[in-house]
Amino acid sequence: MTGSHYSRPFQYLIVFIFTLICLYPIVLMIMSSFKKNMEIFQNPFALPRSFNLEPYMKLLEQLPFFTYLLNSLIVSTVSVLLILFCGGLASFYLARFKFSWTGILFFFFLLGLMIPIKLGIVPLFMLMRNLGLTNSLWSLIFMYTATGIPISILILTEFFKTLPKGLEEAARIDGCSDWKIFWVIVLPLMRPALATVAIINFIQAWNDFFFPLIFIQEEAKKTIPVGMLSLFGEYATDWSMLFAGLTLSSLPMIIVFLLASKQFMEGLTSGAVK
Amino acid sequence: MEADIKQKTDIVGKFRGNWKRWLIHLFPIPALLVYVSFVVIPICSAFAYSLFEWRGIQRGQFVGLDNFVRLFTVEPFNWMFWNAFKNNVTYFVIEMIAQNGIAFILAYILYTKIKGAEFFKAAFFLPRILSVIIVGFLWKLILNPNFGALNVLLSKVGLGDWARPWLGDPHTALIAIILVNSWFGLGFAVLIFLAGLQSIPRDVIEAARLDGARGPRLIFFIILPLIVPSITIVTVYTFIHAFEAFELIYAMQGSQGEPYYSTDTLAVYFYRLAFGGSAGDSVAIGLGSALAVVLFLIIASISALFLYLVRKKTVTY
Amino acid sequence: MPRQVRIFWVWALVFAFLLVGCSGETDSGSGEDQNGQEQETTAGETVKLTITSWRTEDTEAYNRIIEEFNKEYPHIEVEFRPQKNTEYNTLLNTALQSGSAADIIQLRPYQAGMQLADAGYLEPLDSIIALQDFPPEILEAATASDGKIYGVPLSINSAQIYYNTRLFDEYGLEEPKTWDELLDVAETLQQKGIIPFAIGSMEGWILSLTHAVLGPAFYAGNDFVEDILSGDKDFTSEEFVASIEAMKELAKYFPDNYVGLSGDDMRTLFVTEQAGMYVMGSFELEVITQLNPDLEFDFFPTPPASGGEATITTWVDGSYGVNADSPHKQEALTFIEFMTSEQFGTLFANELKRISAVPNVQTDDPMVQKMADLAAENSTPYMILVYFNEGNPTTKQELEAALQGMYLDELTPEEVADKVQQSVNTWFEPNKE
């Protein structure tokens, strides 16, 4: 629509260059994982001479990777569901009702975006211990839910404000309760924003390594990033192992993304800003 | 049930209406409970730590603002603070230019209905789904001075003189990390900008074009003001991330801000104070907590300022 | 509507319970064990102990050692649960503060580990009689400021100059006996296209270690250490500055891009025979042989710059202490007692190719034995680690940062010495006698 004919090729060139920059390191990582060490050092850019699966075999033998995967999956999914439930209800309240305290409450939630939560790690550890949640996936689920709520409330509240109120008011005149309005009328309209919140928080929970590092000591309860961490100390000079470990850690998320990239994108684009 | 309700008098009906209205106040409770228990209370206790004297990891007596005074007046703490602060500011500025500037250009190109836009969007966004710790280790391997792909590439294309120990040279280490972070965050910014662009009503753009706005003028005077909300989100987001920068640096350079404190940031410095150096020396929980309070104040006040200024400036149509 | 109300109340109750749970903010320190795990252990009942350590690479060896222990004490089940070195202190401090640390804790040597004893987290080991046979300079690493011993020293580290014997033979080189000969060796290697020293300054600890190995060539090891401790000399003295200058001059024999090389990269250069010499600790022996079993290499002590003896740099590498909060103190002490035995020392030395701190232990590895003999004969302490790992940031950290600065041309050798002295001034009291 904008952009005249002569600048088109130039625009394509820019986009291509940045596509290459974004994708190539990941391609390099996957390719290198099939190479032997000498191959990585001598010609890092060539295609692997043969698909050397040895590092993967070694990895799966040494690390309970599928246990990590399952833990990551449980933690991320449950956290997202809790965030949607808590965040959805709270945002509806903050966006639709004007009490003297809603502004303050909204700001109180937003403060969470600015808190460097790592600082609270010692008190948090004690709290988890008192609740008997150390070495339990619940410690992570509560953590990710709590830290995900602020951004979710910000996004959802902004989104609510852009929804036309007409429908809800009509429903209210018909005598529907707030609860029913929320479930029947508002939620379906919220789908794009909820998708955004779900995706953002899923990625956050899936990729975090700090909390499991502190809360989880049992091998059977570790998530992928932390489970893989020991690898980097142990195989510091075995690059094909390192690349294989990096690839294996990233693979589940990459596959999900490739399958559902449209949902990822749509969720983010339609919900993040009005 | 139904029959029961029909028999109720008006008064009860009124009362029930009030009661239903009261129900709405339960809506924010679950979010509030989780958030207060796992974020607010722990953080407040941690802030309280900054008011005590600590010997190693043992809490001593109440000393008021003593830790804050030490943080800003005693060598080398004050020097480290300002050095780290400077690096955080650098982080933010370069992110704004490298990540968000490029992201806007890319978003604008995609907005103009380029072929294959879906594929490009996905490509830009792919790095964002990796774990930061994985990204750090991956780039550490790529940037390795003697075996890494980047220096090999440079010498292959005849730019061998450009090859350098990217992460070992204090002039390039921080920049390298920031660029890695930009690689990581580019796609997110593209998507946010694109969403902002797509939400501009077509007729507004058409009207501007009829008035003769073209190219840069169209972008600067019409489009940018209209996507202020996206710009705000991206800016605040970038700012908070820049000032909380920790994991990537930790994965790539460890907790000492090596080499020679050139990659030290406030969050890395905090980690060093709160948990000791890499060999477990010199834990200073009081100072660390004081630093965290300062960090929180910086982030909170500046973010609030951004949001406040923008709220006054948002263009409506 | 009542159903939703019920759901809400359930939620509210659940979180009310959670909140009650977290209002119990506890104070750290030598607090009581809150778990109330006061288990009366009678004979015949199995007790489970956990050991924490920063040596993830030693797990298998420890499991074999624990097997031996169980032959004598079958009712004490022991689990070796190490953490990654870089996160070890974070996790240990967090666990100690919340009273959930392991029963047996590996302690960093000297001040860094003894902080924990000073804070009351550790059990004094007065009851372990065998500790009296350990030499006092070794016990120093596990003695807190109250004069009591809180750990069983595990191993003695030495640091020295490893060299590739195949390359040395090929170019007709001998082990250097003086500093000048060392420089000649480096020069020859460089002319032959071999990197003389596998070294990188990316990681600070490498630099303080390298200085601890090479420095004594200039500041005549032990006498200087005594002068420093008594306050007769300080770090701005000419011999210390000379030792820093020598490190700077060696830079021409370092690999390209050495400022960006990490410890792992250095090791790679040495095991792939791209570099001839490698200044490193005894703890790397096993890793080197694992990476390249065919590598022909040996080591030599630091050749002196102006007369005097060749020295080997030593220090105690960590010790094991007992968590004061442990519900199974008695059993933990039993294991600690086992760690003072010659049986344990021999197992440790042979399984891990390290010098055991247990007196009179012989090992079947010739290189380790050679290190142990030299260490007994003419050693000099890793001064910065042993005596100056205090202050905040510690003097050791300051030296590391300053050396990094020097290699990046930000600081001169004199300025490095000044920085070290400034840091020392913030906390150190010389023992004037």
Side-chain angles (χ1 to χ4, degrees):
Chain A
M1 55 168 300
T2 46
S4 33
H5 294 289
Y6 61 84
S7 65
R8 260 289 125 124
F10 181 61
Q11 292 182 342
Y12 270 108
L13 183 69
I14 293 179
V15 172
F16 265 117
I17 288 172
F18 280 99
T19 305
L20 196 67
I21 291 174
C22 287
L23 291 187
Y24 193 73
I26 297 173
V27 173
L28 184 81
M29 166 178 90
I30 297 169
M31 275 191 345
S32 303
S33 68
F34 295 116
K35 294 178 177 178
K36 293 228 158 63
N37 275 322
M38 278 337 278
E39 238 183 302
I40 295 174
F41 297 147
Q42 280 157 0
N43 32 14
F45 304 105
L47 286 168
R49 258 176 264 160
S50 61
F51 277 87
N52 170 28
L53 291 173
E54 211 181 309
Y56 286 97
M57 295 294 164
K58 213 159 134 190
L59 270 179
L60 293 175
E61 212 171 286
Q62 291 217 336
L63 297 169
F65 180 75
F66 294 102
T67 312
Y68 298 158
L69 184 68
L70 187 67
N71 292 339
S72 280
L73 211 60
I74 294 170
V75 167
S76 308
T77 313
V78 179
S79 306
V80 164
L81 291 175
L82 282 176
I83 287 173
L84 293 181
F85 177 76
C86 300
L89 286 173
S91 320
F92 179 65
Y93 179 81
L94 291 170
R96 282 290 182 263
F97 298 91
K98 284 281 161 282
F99 300 105
S100 52
W101 58 82
T102 39
I104 296 166
L105 193 60
F106 183 62
F107 185 73
F108 179 65
F109 277 121
L110 286 203
L111 274 182
L113 287 174
M114 306 155 196
I115 290 175
I117 188 69
K118 290 187 186 69
L119 164 72
I121 196 68
V122 173
L124 272 170
F125 191 87
M126 299 202 187
L127 165 62
M128 293 300 174
R129 205 197 48 156
N130 292 344
L131 298 174
L133 294 179
T134 45
N135 274 327
S136 146
L137 296 181
W138 282 104
S139 65
L140 304 180
I141 290 168
F142 282 131
M143 238 20 260
Y144 299 143
T145 306
T147 50
I149 278 175
I151 180 96
S152 313
I153 285 185
L154 173 71
I155 292 173
L156 295 175
T157 308
E158 290 298 316
F159 186 82
F160 271 126
K161 286 182 178 162
T162 63
L163 280 183
K165 285 190 189 144
L167 268 177
E168 291 165 53
E169 268 150 21
R172 199 160 278 139
I173 289 162
D174 287 350
C176 286
S177 68
D178 291 328
W179 182 252
K180 202 162 175 185
I181 290 171
F182 179 78
W183 274 109
V184 179
I185 297 172
V186 177
L187 266 187
L189 291 172
M190 294 280 301
R191 267 203 203 116
L194 289 175
T196 307
V197 168
I199 287 166
I200 290 178
N201 286 301
F202 191 87
I203 296 177
Q204 291 286 43
W206 184 274
N207 288 336
D208 177 68
F209 95 109
F210 190 75
F211 291 119
L213 175 77
I214 307 283
F215 294 149
I216 309 283
Q217 305 306 330
E218 269 174 42
E219 204 60 21
K221 296 278 169 53
K222 282 182 178 170
T223 56
I224 293 176
V226 168
M228 287 294 173
L229 199 65
S230 59
L231 203 76
F232 302 108
E234 236 164 300
Y235 295 102
T237 42
D238 188 348
W239 281 35
S240 55
M241 272 297 263
L242 292 184
F243 277 120
L246 292 170
T247 306
L248 202 57
S249 314
S250 328
L251 216 52
M253 205 63 178
I254 291 178
I255 291 169
V256 171
F257 179 73
L258 293 182
L259 291 176
S261 69
K262 220 168 161 62
Q263 279 76 353
F264 267 66
M265 306 289 173
E266 263 174 19
L268 275 163
T269 43
S270 53
V273 273
K274 63 169 183 188
Chain B
M1 219 20 213
E2 291 296 312
D4 260 4
I5 289 170
K6 279 192 183 121
Q7 284 172 10
K8 298 271 181 218
T9 58
D10 273 0
I11 296 167
V12 177
K14 247 188 210 153
F15 175 78
R16 262 182 45 126
N18 281 338
W19 175 78
K20 249 192 269 176
R21 231 167 288 154
W22 174 81
L23 191 70
I24 186 68
H25 295 303
L26 289 174
F27 274 40
I29 297 290
L32 206 55
L33 279 171
V34 183
Y35 172 64
V36 168
S37 354
F38 292 100
V39 174
V40 180
I41 291 177
I43 275 293
C44 290
S45 344
F47 283 169
Y49 287 179
S50 68
L51 305 175
F52 289 84
E53 180 193 30
W54 290 77
R55 290 190 62 246
I57 52 175
Q58 196 178 21
R59 193 161 73 188
Q61 56 196 31
F62 181 83
V63 291
L65 296 179
D66 196 36
N67 284 314
F68 293 87
V69 173
R70 285 185 63 209
L71 189 64
F72 286 105
T73 57
V74 177
E75 279 283 352
F77 303 118
N78 56 354
W79 176 83
M80 276 193 193
F81 177 87
W82 291 113
N83 173 60
F85 181 76
K86 186 192 81 209
N87 290 338
N88 279 116
V89 172
T90 310
Y91 215 102
F92 174 64
V93 171
I94 296 181
E95 287 261 283
M96 284 305 283
I97 299 165
Q99 175 187 298
N100 302 342
I102 291 170
F104 178 76
I105 293 167
L106 293 173
Y108 189 73
I109 293 175
L110 296 181
Y111 172 63
T112 58
K113 295 279 189 293
I114 196 167
K115 282 194 187 66
E118 281 304 314
F119 166 77
F120 291 127
K121 262 194 324 195
F124 299 147
F125 194 74
L126 189 61
R128 182 66 182 70
I129 64 167
L130 303 177
S131 174
V132 177
I133 203 101
I134 302 285
V135 169
F137 281 116
L138 171 62
W139 279 94
K140 199 175 168 176
L141 295 178
I142 293 175
L143 294 172
N144 185 294
N146 293 2
F147 314 110
L150 183 62
N151 280 357
V152 174
L153 174 70
L154 287 173
S155 56
K156 278 207 170 150
V157 298
L159 294 172
D161 300 351
W162 288 27
R164 61 195 59 228
W166 302 102
L167 298 174
D169 180 340
H171 302 105
T172 55
L174 183 66
I175 308 278
I177 290 174
I178 299 171
L179 291 179
V180 169
N181 202 35
S182 303
W183 175 82
F184 175 74
L186 182 77
F188 185 75
V190 168
L191 290 185
I192 303 279
F193 282 134
L194 195 55
L197 289 167
Q198 284 167 341
S199 71
I200 301 172
R202 295 275 166 202
D203 47 7
V204 174
I205 302 265
E206 286 309 316
R209 291 169 68 100
L210 289 176
D211 288 348
R214 286 279 182 281
R217 280 196 55 205
L218 179 73
I219 292 176
F220 279 98
F221 295 102
I222 311 293
I223 292 182
L224 280 180
L226 285 174
I227 60 163
V228 163
S230 317
I231 297 175
T232 311
I233 287 196
V234 169
T235 306
V236 172
Y237 204 79
T238 306
F239 175 78
I240 291 172
H241 273 252
F243 271 78
E244 286 186 358
F246 168 75
E247 275 157 329
L248 196 61
I249 300 170
Y250 183 76
M252 291 171 85
Q253 307 287 75
S255 60
Q256 298 286 334
E258 294 179 325
Y260 197 47
Y261 301 118
S262 62
T263 58
D264 207 14
T265 61
L266 290 172
V268 174
Y269 181 25
F270 157 74
Y271 183 87
R272 210 165 49 241
L273 287 170
F275 297 114
S278 47
D281 22 34
S282 64
V283 181
I285 292 181
L287 280 171
S289 307
L291 174 59
V293 173
V294 173
L295 184 56
F296 171 71
L297 290 176
I298 292 171
I299 292 175
S301 56
I302 298 201
S303 310
L305 190 72
F306 271 135
L307 293 168
Y308 174 75
L309 288 177
V310 167
R311 199 155 270 198
K312 293 196 124 171
K313 277 211 168 130
T314 306
V315 180
T316 46
Y317 31 75
Chain C
M1 252 33 65
R3 206 171 118 258
Q4 280 85 35
V5 180
R6 263 212 305 281
I7 290 174
F8 263 118
W9 278 116
V10 170
W11 265 110
L13 273 174
V14 167
F15 283 104
F17 275 120
L18 289 183
L19 270 178
V20 169
C22 64
S23 55
E25 170 73 28
T26 51
D27 194 3
S28 59
S30 51
E32 320 80 17
D33 181 40
Q34 292 208 333
N35 294 352
Q37 287 179 331
E38 281 308 314
Q39 293 180 10
E40 286 296 315
T41 49
T42 51
E45 210 178 316
T46 314
V47 172
K48 197 168 173 230
L49 291 180
T50 48
I51 302 182
T52 183
S53 156
W54 62 81
R55 298 281 305 178
T56 41
E57 53 275 69
D58 295 354
T59 309
E60 283 174 33
Y62 273 98
N63 288 342
R64 284 194 290 274
I65 290 170
I66 288 164
E67 253 171 61
E68 288 298 313
F69 172 76
N70 282 147
K71 284 178 186 167
E72 199 171 342
Y73 301 98
H75 68 285
I76 303 180
E77 197 183 319
V78 187
E79 189 192 358
F80 183 74
R81 205 192 272 179
Q83 318 282 8
K84 190 163 172 274
N85 188 351
T86 38
E87 279 80 33
Y88 180 75
N89 291 88
T90 306
L91 297 172
L92 179 61
N93 289 349
T94 315
L96 282 171
Q97 285 176 77
S98 56
S100 58
D103 303 288
I104 297 175
I105 300 170
Q106 191 173 13
L107 308 168
R108 302 278 182 186
Y110 308 98
Q111 183 52 30
M114 287 305 104
Q115 274 186 349
L116 302 180
D118 292 344
Y121 289 113
L122 302 176
E123 191 69 10
L125 303 181
D126 308 337
S127 62
I128 312 284
I129 308 297
L131 276 174
Q132 292 165 6
D133 302 336
F134 282 56
E137 70 269 16
I138 288 179
L139 287 175
E140 201 175 2
T143 307
S145 48
D146 61 2
K148 286 186 180 167
I149 298 165
Y150 285 89
V152 173
L154 178 71
S155 105
I156 296 165
N157 274 345
S158 69
Q160 54 276 310
I161 306 169
Y162 291 110
Y163 71 102
N164 183 318
T165 48
R166 196 183 63 78
L167 289 172
F168 268 50
D169 289 347
E170 196 172 321
Y171 303 122
L173 296 168
E174 299 275 320
E175 285 188 10
K177 295 280 175 273
T178 66
W179 186 262
D180 290 333
E181 283 178 28
L182 178 69
L183 294 183
D184 292 341
V185 166
E187 188 60 43
T188 310
L189 286 170
Q190 192 151 42
Q191 281 164 9
K192 303 289 182 195
I194 304 287
I195 299 163
F197 288 96
I199 188 169
S201 65
M202 176 86 180
E203 293 170 17
W205 68 273
I206 300 275
L207 294 177
S208 67
L209 180 75
T210 307
H211 179 262
V213 174
L214 302 177
F218 293 84
Y219 57 71
N222 302 341
D223 298 344
F224 179 74
V225 174
E226 273 166 39
D227 288 344
I228 287 270
L229 293 179
S230 66
D232 292 346
K233 283 188 177 154
D234 69 11
F235 287 96
T236 57
S237 68
E238 53 190 276
E239 53 263 67
F240 190 79
V241 174
S243 72
I244 305 277
E245 265 166 2
M247 290 217 15
K248 172 114 181 149
E249 277 161 27
L250 274 191
K252 59 175 182 278
Y253 301 119
F254 291 175
D256 291 346
N257 290 335
Y258 69 90
V259 294
L261 296 181
S262 67
D264 297 324
D265 301 328
M266 298 159 44
R267 188 195 302 122
T268 306
L269 288 174
F270 186 69
V271 299
T272 55
E273 306 202 278
Q274 296 177 64
M277 292 183 277
Y278 179 43
V279 178
M280 200 20 84
S282 49
F283 48 84
E284 283 272 309
L285 255 183
E286 212 201 351
V287 190
I288 296 172
T289 36
Q290 250 175 11
L291 285 172
N292 184 355
D294 306 328
L295 186 73
E296 297 166 27
F297 71 107
D298 199 353
F299 73 89
F300 54 84
T302 309
S306 48
E309 297 268 325
T311 54
I312 187 165
T313 303
T314 58
W315 70 102
V316 175
D317 174 45
S319 45
Y320 278 101
V322 174
N323 179 355
D325 259 356
S326 163
H328 309 299
K329 250 183 248 182
Q330 239 11 73
E331 289 79 5
L333 286 168
T334 308
F335 193 83
I336 288 282
E337 181 115 43
F338 168 70
M339 285 181 144
T340 61
S341 67
E342 269 183 44
Q343 182 196 8
F344 173 83
T346 313
L347 276 170
F348 173 83
N350 294 339
E351 290 282 356
L352 292 164
K353 295 198 169 51
R354 306 275 298 275
I355 310 169
S356 169
V358 179
N360 313 322
V361 165
Q362 292 289 317
T363 158
D364 55 13
D365 186 284
M367 205 176 311
V368 177
Q369 196 52 51
K370 184 175 153 189
M371 285 174 188
D373 293 343
L374 269 171
E377 210 173 294
N378 194 4
S379 67
T380 180
Y382 183 168
M383 174 175 60
I384 282 285
L385 173 80
V386 174
Y387 301 108
F388 293 97
N389 200 8
E390 277 183 70
N392 192 327
T394 67
T395 301
K396 178 170 175 276
Q397 286 170 317
E398 289 279 308
L399 170 72
E400 288 164 0
L403 284 171
Q404 248 172 3
M406 176 180 83
Y407 283 127
L408 299 164
D409 296 314
E410 308 247 347
L411 299 172
T412 64
E414 288 78 13
E415 284 169 333
V416 173
D418 282 343
K419 277 219 178 269
V420 174
Q421 188 54 42
Q422 278 167 21
S423 163
V424 168
N425 291 344
T426 60
W427 61 271
F428 178 66
E429 298 281 341
N431 321 324
K432 293 270 184 211
E433 285 177 12

